[in-house]
Amino acid sequence: MAELTYNEKRLMVVLNTIKEATPDIIAGELNTTAAAVVQFAHLCADKGIATLDRTVTVSYSLSTEGEQYATLGLPERQVYASFQNEISMKDMQAHPLARIAIGWMKKKGWVIIEKGLVKKTGDAPEGADEVALRDPDANREGVLELVKRGLAEEAETTTYLIAITETGKALVKAGLDLREEVGTLTREQILSGDWKDLNLRRYSVDKLPKRIIPGKIHPYQRLINEMRNVLLEMGFIEMYGDVVQSSFWNFDALFQPQDHPAREMQDTFYLDSTTPLPENWEAVRDIHEHGGTTSSVGWGGIWDPAKAKTNVLRTHTTGLSIQYLKDHPYEPVKAFCIGRVYRREAIDPTHTPEFEQLEGIVMDKDVSFRHLMGFLKEFYGRMGFENVRFRPAYFPYTEPSVEPEVFVDGLGWVELGGAGIFREEVTDPWGVKYPVLAWGLGVSRVAMLKMGLRDLRQLYRSDVDWIRDTPMMQGGKD
Amino acid sequence: MPIIKLPYEYLETLTGTDRETIIDRVPMIGADIERIEEDHIDVEFFPDRPDLFSTEGVARAMQGFLGLKSGINEYPITPSGISFRVDPGLAEIRPFLGSAVIRNVSLNEEAIESLMGLQEALHWAVGRGRGKVAIGVHDLDTVTPPFYYQAAPRDRAFVPLDFAEEMTMEEILEHHPKGVNFAHLVRDYERFPLITDAEDNVLSFPPIINGERTKVTTETKNILLDCTGTDMKAVMTAVNNICTALADAGATIESVEVDGTPMPSLSPSIRMVSVDECRRLLGIPLTAEEMVAHLRTMRFGAVADGEEKVRVTVPCYRSDIMHDWDIFEDVAISYGFENFDAALPESFTTGKPHPVMVMMDGVREILAGLGFLEMMPFTLTNVRVLYTAMQREINPGLLRLQRPISEEQTVMRTDILPMLVETLQINHHRELPQRLFAIGDCVEGEDTFQKVATVSIHTEADFSEIYACADALMREMHIAYEIEESADPAFIPGRRADIIVDGKKTGVFGELNPDVIRAFELDAPVCAMEIDLRCVQGRPCL
């Protein structure tokens, strides 16, 4: 048998003396509440050392309205008494209780109604309900009728009777340790060594206390930080930049023609403001119009500076990369950023108008397309994607371009990001002498793969319980 | 991106190999297979490669890639004797015209479908939705040269394609499905573009619709091509792509004189490229002869000029070749991406996180330590959430989107706290207490800066709780601050305070006004704070 608590023991000692009693009586003995005694008794009953009998009694009392009628009589009795053998309906309706009474008088057979006259049948004995009205406990049938009419109320009273069993008696006879239980140790008890003699309350060790939720960094932010750490470990410097960018940096500097579909209003969030063109903007104009000093022929046509000044919410972070290269034109450069970008897309499970993009660039003497593949393999490998393959691709500002695919169990080859070498048309205006390897990827896509998300909105409009339940580590076996 | 339908039988006839080989290899020339069907595959090609928008063009590329044929195709041209006149009145409307005569076509249903698919893809990728270029193909034998491209009165009538009755051009814009779709391209001009023949028969109303008279059918033997537009280079890209596709299917091309200038030429352009530059860009060992072989595989003409130069003949349909590196990419594709020896360079560099990110990571650590859960709400929001529900005045630096995508997201946030209270609303059915924080970018005017906000909702959330948190955060950030009574209407008077750093208001905390709590459909006390992180010393300028 499980150990008894101090309170259970006290209850047993009292029961052993008085054998059986109500909780009220025992509560007096134990100097506690009746409710607490019932709780102790429950636990003792579970252990078979006491019994707890529960009796529910129903009692009735008159409602406020019922109390009124108790002295004056039911409405039908009052109205019945108010006329002789017959009365016209019209006259009877002058009585304030007529509306209630008429139905009941008919139902009870006290009157009949003929041609607008209410006639007594001569037979109106006292009913069970009227008996109950005098004393609600006197007539059960009658009182139920009154309950229906809202004239009486039913109340349940639960009473308990607690008794000791033979097992209980034997237990008490064998002797109980009645030293008071201690919950929390005091400084004195620890210092003096007294704690050894205390009756320390024992816990049910398998009973989980109320769950604690630690403060946490968002699972998506943790993934972003993991990616940042991979790149920092690989020797990259982190970039950060403004959300509002001029079309010049967001598009023109990346050799996106001014009539490119991606620049159209339905894809980009345009703003009312403009930004002056930076120094050396003419080099970008020349590149667009005829290829400038490179082997490019350019897009042809006339490049419009006004279009380039228009501000947008950045549609990618590549505009930051080219500005970083402008400020750091000498090799080696290894830089990255993870930032929020904006596209004019309606919200659904796989699209949000804002999302995080990762971007990395490497500029160095003698770097080449094969090194781009090397960086992609290394980065994806460190992110846990061991198998990477490459496919031809097209992006307006890289040449050659490549689309990395990673192998994911259960999904097969999954396209993950895009990469390439910045076109010379992109780098030449800023005095960059060597190839710039560049790659980018949608971070939310990695989140979907790594966290098994089906709905991107979960990242930005998170369910608190999802964050509470997402562990911070992957400590267990897969 | 354009999705091209490739019928197996036609593709097999043109390429000279079986469908399995094609399906297996086509992704490696730069394409995504969208669907594999019983009689065809749908393939998505990149928008810079209009030469792959037809079955004929894909067959030409696959022949090279599979080693069945190499080098550049010749496209001989003879004069047709047919001429075209362009009305100077079109100068402000749609000035440019490209044309060609394509003889001896043998068009089965699949070839016609391929031609129509090519036109549609060109309209999208090169024509920018027909504005920049629109294409018309006509049965030459139904009309009489010479032809006239003119600015015609809007009430000129003809029978448009797939209709039985004459309509005026104005009526076409109102009633013909193509007219309705593309009316915006011409609606504002006094006169409309029109192509007529010597007998004043209408061939086309560019860029809207052709006439029914010149409809191309399986009976058609000879084609007149018209491409009109606002950019001559793009117009000729369309002409070259259609002519070369049909020539590869067996037709012969004849030139047309447009205002005295014969076109098209279909002649290739020449680029002298450096083998060493290619080697260095791709990082692969390569001789001039190997490079020549790769380029011929990709259907360029190429001959070595000594050991370090290659003379490349670029087919007229390769409008994507703008720069020498565009040619090097084709060398890489022929070399095979799978054959590259991926490697990391040896330069030593050190990594360094950005100070703003370091600062935000620090704040995250402090707040997580204080028991808050991080949220990452959207930065786009609306005036109702940002100001109205918070009972606050609109920030004069508020950045509004010109054309929002929904009523929910019309402005860029200037504060984070309202988004966090909205997050509580989303989670109103979840167990309390909820203690949340969010940190990140806000924008005022054009400037991006960072804020952090926290909220705590539960039955006993009060001023003291949030004061203690604000104090802990400020202490841990090691920023000295003072407190003043606040007037922020989002909070309850007497239970709100401003955080002052260097004499400047930099944050606020307190108990949210119950009207604000109700505006977000919450029903428990909320204490909250928000701090502008521009107060952090050493925060770098962006």
Side-chain angles (χ1 to χ4, degrees), chain A residues 39-196:
Chain A
Q39 195 195 339
F40 306 153
H42 259 297
L43 295 166
C44 289
D46 286 347
K47 297 183 175 86
I49 53 179
T51 57
L52 178 70
D53 287 324
R54 181 170 177 269
T55 314
V56 180
T57 43
V58 180
S59 62
Y60 297 92
S61 58
L62 294 180
S63 68
T64 317
E65 195 185 355
E67 291 284 3
Q68 287 173 15
Y69 299 144
T71 45
L72 300 169
L74 288 172
E76 58 269 31
R77 182 62 69 190
Q78 291 185 46
V79 174
Y80 188 80
S82 72
F83 65 96
Q84 292 299 314
N85 289 331
E86 60 179 52
I87 188 170
S88 71
M89 273 297 263
K90 195 161 170 264
D91 289 346
M92 197 189 74
Q93 271 159 0
H95 196 286
L97 293 171
R99 268 187 43 214
I100 310 173
I102 184 85
W104 284 106
M105 287 192 298
K106 266 180 74 185
K107 194 176 170 195
K108 290 181 172 178
W110 296 354
V111 298
I112 53 166
I113 299 168
E114 271 177 6
K115 297 172 184 161
L117 283 179
V118 181
K119 296 178 185 170
K120 288 186 178 172
T121 57
D123 187 23
E126 184 181 50
D129 51 353
E130 287 169 301
V131 176
L133 194 62
R134 285 200 309 274
D135 175 6
D137 289 324
N139 189 308
R140 187 166 162 75
E141 186 195 342
V143 82
L144 289 179
E145 198 61 45
L146 293 181
V147 170
K148 269 191 223 161
R149 291 178 71 172
L151 303 179
E153 285 154 357
E154 195 177 281
E156 273 188 6
T157 320
T158 306
T159 55
Y160 293 97
L161 188 64
I162 301 164
I164 192 163
T165 64
E166 288 308 315
T167 322
K169 285 177 192 162
L171 187 76
V172 178
K173 198 175 174 195
L176 290 170
D177 181 355
L178 281 173
R179 284 174 304 165
E180 194 165 342
E181 263 189 345
V182 174
T184 315
L185 293 175
T186 64
R187 178 174 182 273
E188 286 69 28
Q189 288 161 349
I190 291 169
L191 292 181
S192 64
D194 284 354
W195 69 272
K196 290 177 198 158

Side-chain angles (χ1 to χ4, degrees), chain A residues 218 457-469, chain B residues 373-377 418-437 455-458 520-524 526:
Chain A
H218 196 283
R457 289 171 291 193
Q458 182 67 274
L459 299 176
Y460 304 102
R461 301 172 70 93
S462 301
D463 184 336
V464 166
D465 278 0
W466 175 62
I467 299 183
R468 285 170 171 161
D469 295 339
Chain B
L373 293 180
E374 187 181 19
M375 291 287 158
M376 303 176 76
M419 271 92 265
L420 210 48
V421 184
E422 199 183 24
T423 306
L424 290 179
Q425 183 179 3
I426 295 167
N427 284 286
H428 72 274
H429 53 293
R430 295 299 185 204
E431 190 184 343
L432 301 186
Q434 290 175 21
R435 309 180 80 220
L436 314 178
F437 81 96
V455 290
S456 175
I457 180 168
H458 56 101
F520 288 97
E521 293 171 352
L522 297 168
D523 53 12
V526 180

Side-chain angles (χ1 to χ4, degrees), chain A residues 276-296:
Chain A
L277 297 180
E279 253 181 69
N280 201 34
W281 63 271
E282 298 90 343
V284 169
R285 174 198 62 198
D286 294 349
I287 285 276
H288 276 253
E289 291 187 353
H290 53 74
T293 54
T294 70
S295 71
S296 176

Side-chain angles (χ1 to χ4, degrees), chain A residues 3-15 26 30-32 36-37 39-41 43-44 47 49 176-181 199 201:
Chain A
E3 280 278 342
L4 298 191
T5 65
Y6 177 61
N7 284 321
E8 288 165 30
K9 288 174 189 166
R10 289 172 66 219
L11 172 66
M12 290 308 293
V13 170
V14 171
L15 276 183
I26 300 171
L30 294 180
N31 197 17
T32 182
V37 170
Q39 195 195 339
F40 306 153
L43 295 166
C44 289
K47 297 183 175 86
I49 53 179
L176 290 170
D177 181 355
L178 281 173
R179 284 174 304 165
E180 194 165 342
E181 263 189 345
N199 185 18
R201 188 188 312 129

Side-chain angles (χ1 to χ4, degrees), chain B residues 175-188:
Chain B
H175 302 301
H176 194 287
K178 296 284 180 200
V180 173
N181 276 352
F182 297 101
H184 62 279
L185 296 173
V186 293
R187 195 190 284 132
D188 296 337

